[in-house]
Amino acid sequence: MSSDLMIPIATVPGESAVPRPARAFPWPKGPLRDWLLAWPLPLVLLAAWALAAHFEWVAPQVLPAPEAVLVTLKESLLSGELWANLQISLLRVLAGFAIGLAGGLALGVAMGLSPTVKDYVYPSFNVFAQVPVLGWLPLLMLLVGIDEALKVILISKAALVPIALNTCKGIHGVPTRHIEVARVLKFTRWQMLSRVVFPAALAPIWNGVRYGLTHAWLALVVVELLASSEGLGFMIVYGRQLFQLDVVLAAVAVVGAVGYALDKLLALVERRLLAWRREAF
């Protein structure tokens, strides 16, 4: 082995250095590495699914082959059925998320800035947050029926809770030294909020927004599974009722892909919003 491939190991003074071979092909770092590491598990699962379907380890009526699901997905897209249901689901989740975002930010800011508001509101809000979306379903069905209002309210609740909690925690987590410097500079209250508090709390607040959208998307699917005649959740229920598991798996794949795409979209926005933090540090 040539000497240019030997790298000495750091040793304690007085001990001899033991050379070790350098890696001829160093493992890539950064986004490429993350991308490469993300693929093996899905490919293994897909291969296992294909083998199970090919050798009929599971009955085809229970586990259709991947190619059958792809054919169903293509036919649903060409017929417009999948796109129509996807549009309905997206409109529902955007409406509920918008309401939850506005309410969560307002409530989180109020609890974060005012100890009095937090003392009065947070205990009740914490109890409200502990009840899952499905826990409110029977009551809301009696109050508002099973139309769009039910779905929007439940989606709003799912989004509101993480947004409010993360906003409150983000404001409480603003470093005290930042506040003290702003007071020395005699900032007004608005300057304190716009130049110190909100920029410092932006990262946790945006995390809450991402969690809120994720929870809203999950709540949408659950609500559509139980009380809907349209949407992706309805496609899953419809396919199960007719024992068309290829339709079920195609809808599930779209649900996962859309949820992943929405989260990645917010991640891109986050990188742009917080670019000034990376430049500052």
Side-chain angles (χ1 to χ4, degrees):
M1 184 178 293
S2 59
S3 59
D4 58 342
L5 292 180
M6 307 299 289
I7 300 177
I9 302 176
T11 58
V12 178
E15 295 183 358
S16 60
V18 179
R20 64 181 179 184
R23 290 184 179 179
F25 301 99
W27 187 252
K29 296 181 180 180
L32 177 61
R33 175 180 179 273
D34 297 337
W35 185 81
L36 291 173
L37 291 177
W39 275 103
L41 180 58
L43 292 177
V44 169
L45 293 176
L46 181 61
W49 176 14
L51 289 173
H54 178 74
F55 292 104
E56 295 189 359
W57 295 337
V58 182
Q61 296 81 5
V62 177
L63 184 67
E67 54 268 24
V69 176
L70 287 176
V71 170
T72 300
L73 187 60
K74 180 181 178 181
E75 292 176 351
S76 299
L77 283 170
L78 293 177
S79 66
E81 178 187 3
L82 180 59
W83 176 240
N85 285 292
L86 176 59
Q87 281 184 311
I88 292 170
S89 294
L90 286 175
L91 289 175
R92 284 172 179 165
V93 78
L94 289 177
F97 175 70
I99 297 173
L101 175 63
L105 289 176
L107 186 59
V109 169
M111 291 191 297
L113 295 178
S114 173
T116 303
V117 173
K118 185 177 181 181
D119 290 340
Y120 278 106
V121 174
Y122 185 77
S124 300
F125 175 77
N126 195 24
V127 174
F128 169 79
Q130 300 305 318
V131 181
V133 170
L134 291 180
W136 297 102
L137 184 62
L139 176 62
L140 289 175
M141 289 178 68
L142 294 175
L143 294 176
V144 301
I146 60 172
D147 293 331
E148 290 301 309
L150 171 69
K151 303 170 184 62
V152 172
I153 291 173
L154 291 176
I155 294 169
S156 302
K157 185 268 178 186
L160 182 144
V161 171
I163 293 174
L165 289 176
N166 280 272
T167 301
C168 180
K169 292 179 180 178
I171 293 175
H172 281 167
V174 175
T176 306
R177 62 181 180 275
H178 293 180
I179 305 295
E180 293 174 350
V181 171
R183 287 173 178 167
V184 170
L185 296 175
K186 296 182 179 180
F187 277 13
T188 64
R189 183 172 181 81
W190 172 247
Q191 289 175 325
M192 179 82 74
L193 294 177
S194 61
R195 298 185 183 182
V196 178
V197 175
F198 290 143
L202 183 58
I205 290 175
W206 193 256
N207 284 336
V209 172
R210 290 181 64 179
Y211 288 137
L213 182 58
T214 299
H215 289 193
W217 183 248
L218 295 175
L220 165 81
V221 176
V222 171
V223 172
E224 288 183 343
L225 285 171
L226 299 176
S228 182
S229 59
E230 296 172 310
L232 294 175
F234 169 73
M235 285 188 63
I236 296 174
V237 173
Y238 182 76
R240 179 187 62 81
Q241 290 174 344
L242 298 181
F243 219 70
Q244 296 177 345
L245 275 301
D246 53 338
V247 175
V248 173
L249 291 176
V252 168
V254 173
V255 168
V258 173
Y260 180 80
L262 290 175
D263 183 70
K264 285 298 181 183
L265 177 62
L266 289 185
L268 290 175
V269 176
E270 179 182 6
R271 280 199 287 270
R272 294 188 65 88
L273 284 176
L274 301 179
W276 63 272
R277 293 170 64 95
R278 293 192 297 270
E279 294 173 359
F281 296 98

